[in-house]
Amino acid sequence: MFSNVSLPAKENENTIEKTIKRNKTSSDNDYSLQCSPKKKHTETENKKTEKSEIEKTEKSENEKTEKSEIEKTEKSENEKTEKSEIEETENNGFERLKFDNHTTFDIKCSESKPWISSIDELPNGNVVLTDFCNCKLYVYNQSLEIYKAIDVSGKPCAIAVINSDKIAVTLQEKKSVALVNILTRKTFRYLNVEDSCHGITYTDDNLVLNCLEKGLTIISLDGAVQNTISDVTGEAYLCSSDNGNIYCAVYWSHKVLCFNRHGDEVYSFSNLTMKCIRGISVDHQGQVFTSEFGKNKIHVINSEGTKSHVILSKKHGINNPLCVHFNRNDMCLYVSNNDGESVSMYKLDSSSE
């Protein structure tokens, strides 16, 4: 009897304990099912974020390293090129000119920023500058002080000195040449050339123009055409020597051409490393200077038109040079620098003449 009464109680206790255990296990499993995916998801996201940050850091470091290597390579290549040019110059016997006493003066203008597109000198040693943006001519004395400013009726591209009183200026947009009297500061004649002209020079009592489509055109001071060199078209800049030779820098062709007073070609010099030749000038020995706008370099070509080398570069303060002019009175080189906003003067070292 007693056993029949106690057994159900024990079984009930066991049953209750089993039920509690099952419920506890079920509850733990449910909690695990509910929390584990979220926790795993968070851990996965953290790992992804950490990985992404690591990859970004590595990418940034790689880019910096690559940029540094590119800069080093470019610097090395430039140094090699410059060294090669120096060695080539020394090996071929081309005497290297040296310029020192670097002086820079800013162009004072109350209007827009200046854009000095051309430089020439008067017989008395004063320097004339063309300001393309402000439609002005500036005359500077030998102390680099502005002497006078002259207004012109268009944007002056290039200039040629005729004598101590008169100068000729190409007005590119107006397809004409203005003849200006410096003393009166007035334009006394316009020569209509019916073509966009850039460079200009004066030799043998005639003007030589670079006409975009017609080619090099030689005209008298009253506008009569004397001769045409139709082979040289496109944008080009000019200068001339005392013996009547005409020198032409063709902007996009890597070429400098030389013609005699009759229009016959004396030489054609080509250098593929010379790009965007924007200015040209010749010294008393027939050596030609050119300004290379895109690569911040001033080149000199020997009088035979067979060799060249870099005479001034960025380390000398050359920065986006527009034009160049050799002043024979003061034996110095003028460079329209910094996109034409200033003019730098380099004195020729007398020991290098």
Side-chain angles (χ1 to χ4, degrees):
M1 290 180 63
F2 290 112
S3 61
N4 290 335
V5 174
S6 61
L7 284 173
K10 189 173 183 181
E11 286 179 358
N12 288 339
E13 289 176 2
N14 292 336
T15 301
I16 292 169
E17 289 178 1
K18 288 179 180 178
T19 301
I20 292 172
K21 286 180 180 180
R22 280 200 302 269
N23 291 339
K24 185 177 180 182
T25 304
S26 176
S27 177
D28 290 343
N29 289 337
D30 289 344
Y31 180 80
S32 177
L33 289 172
Q34 291 174 6
C35 297
S36 180
K38 185 174 180 181
K39 185 177 180 182
K40 288 181 179 178
H41 177 73
T42 303
E43 291 176 353
T44 302
E45 288 299 319
N46 289 338
K47 287 180 180 179
K48 285 183 179 179
T49 302
E50 186 176 351
K51 184 179 179 182
S52 176
E53 290 176 351
I54 292 171
E55 288 176 348
K56 285 181 180 178
T57 303
E58 290 177 348
K59 184 178 179 182
S60 176
E61 291 298 324
N62 290 336
E63 287 175 350
K64 286 181 181 178
T65 303
E66 186 176 350
K67 184 178 179 181
S68 176
E69 289 175 352
I70 291 172
E71 289 175 348
K72 285 180 182 178
T73 302
E74 289 177 348
K75 183 178 179 181
S76 177
E77 289 298 323
N78 290 336
E79 289 175 350
K80 285 180 182 178
T81 301
E82 189 167 346
K83 183 179 179 182
S84 175
E85 288 171 344
I86 293 172
E87 289 175 350
E88 183 180 353
T89 298
E90 292 173 345
N91 291 336
N92 62 31
F94 184 15
E95 183 183 1
R96 290 181 61 83
L97 298 175
K98 293 181 181 179
F99 289 89
D100 54 18
N101 296 330
H102 173 208
T103 303
T104 298
F105 60 100
D106 294 325
I107 307 302
K108 296 178 181 179
C109 183
S110 59
E111 300 172 33
S112 302
K113 286 184 178 181
W115 203 72
I116 304 304
S117 57
S118 181
I119 304 173
D120 207 342
E121 69 182 274
L122 296 169
N124 62 2
N126 288 347
V127 180
V128 185
L129 316 175
T130 61
D131 186 346
F132 184 85
C133 288
N134 294 293
C135 302
K136 290 182 182 293
L137 308 177
Y138 305 119
V139 181
Y140 278 78
N141 61 25
Q142 291 169 301
S143 300
L144 300 181
E145 299 171 342
I146 190 166
Y147 174 59
K148 60 178 67 177
I150 303 171
D151 293 320
V152 289
S153 61
K155 293 183 180 296
C157 184
I159 189 173
V161 170
I162 298 172
N163 55 39
S164 58
D165 300 333
K166 299 178 179 65
I167 55 179
V169 186
T170 56
L171 304 178
Q172 178 186 335
E173 296 176 341
K174 293 197 169 187
K175 299 182 178 181
S176 63
V177 176
L179 302 183
V180 180
N181 188 308
I182 296 175
L183 299 179
T184 63
R185 307 188 190 191
K186 301 291 184 181
T187 299
F188 64 90
R189 185 179 301 159
Y190 289 98
L191 306 178
N192 185 11
V193 295
E194 299 179 348
D195 198 349
S196 179
C197 47
H198 296 81
I200 187 172
T201 189
Y202 181 75
T203 183
D204 290 341
D205 299 324
N206 289 313
L207 293 170
V208 184
L209 310 175
N210 156 244
C211 293
L212 199 64
E213 297 178 1
K214 295 178 182 178
L216 298 186
T217 304
I218 302 172
I219 63 174
S220 63
L221 293 180
D222 59 7
V225 177
Q226 307 297 312
N227 193 7
T228 301
I229 305 173
S230 58
D231 294 337
V232 185
T233 57
E235 184 178 351
Y237 299 90
L238 308 173
C239 68
S240 55
S241 59
D242 293 336
N243 64 359
N245 281 352
I246 303 163
Y247 300 87
C248 174
V250 185
Y251 188 59
W252 289 110
S253 70
H254 318 287
K255 284 185 178 181
V256 172
L257 308 172
C258 177
F259 300 91
N260 62 23
R261 64 182 73 227
H262 307 294
D264 301 319
E265 186 177 293
V266 177
Y267 69 70
S268 174
F269 177 80
S270 179
N271 184 342
L272 295 179
T273 65
M274 294 169 62
K275 300 177 181 178
C276 301
I277 306 173
R278 181 58 181 73
I280 186 168
S281 185
V282 61
D283 71 3
H284 54 296
Q285 297 178 338
Q287 298 177 114
V288 177
F289 301 91
T290 64
S291 56
E292 189 177 6
F293 181 76
K295 293 176 67 175
N296 303 323
K297 292 180 181 179
I298 305 297
H299 298 262
V300 61
I301 304 169
N302 68 349
S303 57
E304 293 80 18
T306 57
K307 309 177 185 73
S308 73
H309 69 81
V310 176
I311 194 168
L312 295 171
S313 62
K314 195 169 185 178
K315 68 180 182 180
H316 302 102
I318 301 299
N319 179 39
N320 290 338
L322 284 182
C323 63
V324 62
H325 175 73
F326 184 83
N327 189 321
R328 303 179 197 181
N329 287 314
D330 295 335
M331 301 301 287
C332 64
L333 196 67
Y334 288 100
V335 179
S336 173
N337 222 354
N338 302 311
D339 285 325
E341 292 185 15
S342 63
V343 173
S344 299
M345 181 183 69
Y346 298 83
K347 276 281 188 182
L348 178 64
D349 185 350
S350 58
S351 64
S352 67
E353 291 185 62

